[in-house]
Amino acid sequence: QVQLVESGGGLVEAGGSLRLSCVASGTRFSLNSMGWFRQTPGKQRELVATINGSGRTNYGDSVKGRFTISRDNAKNTMYLQMNRLKPEDTGVYYCALDRSTVWSLPVDYWGQGTQVTVSS
């Protein structure tokens, strides 16, 4: 059974930084593509960033240059370093796993989400 557990969310002032982590279990992590999505009330879940099994990354336009996605296959862990945070970055951030080495939708597994709140 694949499980994804996020951590690292919290409350931060605008301009600050946070690092999210997602630990995966029950899967051959190095062969999977991973991603971060976020959702705010009344809006659809939005892609933040993805990283393939090879390490190739892709970012949503709103976070390019501020967020960095990475992975440590030895630890079965994916990270999202979020810098220069803005109030509009507020939302629940979800870890996502695609069983293929190249990212594609639909998502195969979701984490439970972690809240990020950026105050102005």
Side-chain angles (χ1 to χ4, degrees), residues 4-117:
L4 303 174
V5 179
E6 302 103 329
S7 62
L11 174 64
V12 64
E13 291 184 350
S17 298
L18 281 176
R19 189 176 81 155
L20 305 183
S21 299
C22 172
V23 179
S25 60
T27 183
R28 294 184 67 183
F29 183 77
S30 63
L31 299 182
N32 301 142
S33 295
M34 302 293 296
W36 290 100
F37 288 73
R38 66 186 180 193
Q39 190 164 22
T40 54
K43 293 186 178 181
Q44 287 188 332
R45 199 166 288 189
E46 172 191 18
L47 184 145
V48 175
T50 62
I51 184 166
N52 285 343
S54 63
R56 182 171 183 174
T57 59
N58 181 56
Y59 295 92
D61 289 341
S62 63
V63 306
K64 284 180 181 177
R66 299 189 297 122
F67 291 10
T68 302
I69 189 171
S70 62
R71 63 192 296 163
D72 184 339
N73 290 337
K75 297 182 178 179
N76 280 18
T77 302
M78 173 182 64
Y79 304 98
L80 185 68
Q81 178 67 44
M82 304 185 293
N83 298 328
R84 292 183 283 143
L85 282 160
K86 304 175 182 180
E88 51 263 45
D89 294 318
T90 294
V92 178
Y93 283 68
Y94 294 92
C95 171
L97 182 148
D98 177 22
R99 287 176 291 187
S100 64
T101 56
V102 178
W103 177 265
S104 63
L105 293 173
V107 171
D108 290 313
Y109 298 95
W110 293 99
Q112 82 287 352
T114 186
Q115 177 70 44
V116 172
T117 303

